[in-house]
């Protein structure tokens, strides 16, 4: 019986000393500059080929707890009334990062929806 108790104690101590590393996580903030309306944006994890976000952002949005050291692409999408779409931006998330998207001035005579 003593051996069984020692075996259980040893197993418990080994299990509690597990050295499984916790993966590093960071945040990515996407900011839409100088526009009050929500603009369509896609945030994609290129390393895992996964969509993180596909929707509209007004002002800024924080994507927290993203796996670190992976490649992310932020793609601004066309919005009616704006002449150009900002270029996509690709980053390696080695720390907390911010990407700012700057849309061109609205096209004269067109209304934004």
């Amino acid at each position: 019986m003593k051996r069984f108790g020692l075996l259980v104690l040893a197993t418990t101590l080994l299990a509690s000393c597990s050295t499984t590393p916790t993966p590093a996580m960071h945040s990515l903030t996407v900011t839409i500059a100088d526009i009050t309306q929500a603009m369509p944006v896609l945030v994609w994890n290129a390393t895992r080929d996964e969509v993180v976000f596909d929707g509209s952002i007004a002002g800024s949005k924080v994507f927290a707890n993203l796996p670190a050291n992976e490649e992310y692409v932020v793609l601004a999408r066309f919005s009616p009334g704006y002449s150009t779409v900002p270029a996509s931006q690709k980053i390696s998330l080695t720390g907390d990062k911010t990407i700012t998207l700057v849309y061109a001035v609205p096209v004269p005579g067109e209304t934004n929806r």
Side-chain angles (χ1 to χ4, degrees):
M1 193 64 157
K2 280 185 177 182
R3 286 185 183 177
F4 178 72
L6 288 174
L7 180 62
V8 170
L9 178 62
T11 303
T12 304
L13 286 174
L14 285 174
S16 68
C17 295
S18 175
T19 58
T20 304
T22 303
M25 306 298 258
H26 293 298
S27 67
L28 173 62
T29 302
V30 177
T31 301
I32 308 297
D34 303 326
I35 298 175
T36 57
Q37 79 179 57
M39 301 302 272
V41 175
L42 173 75
V43 178
W44 176 58
N45 180 321
T47 303
R48 297 173 187 240
D49 192 22
E50 295 176 350
V51 173
V52 175
F53 176 81
D54 187 4
S56 294
I57 297 175
S60 66
K61 183 170 180 66
V62 177
F63 301 94
N65 298 318
L66 296 177
N69 301 314
E70 294 189 359
E71 299 291 318
Y72 291 85
V73 176
V74 177
L75 176 68
R77 295 200 170 154
F78 174 76
S79 183
Y82 288 84
S83 59
T84 60
V85 175
S88 63
Q89 297 182 43
K90 183 176 183 178
I91 60 153
S92 180
L93 200 61
T94 56
D96 294 344
K97 303 266 179 127
T98 298
I99 287 181
T100 301
L101 301 173
V102 181
Y103 280 80
V105 178
V107 175
E110 289 190 27
T111 57
N112 296 325
R113 296 181 204 173

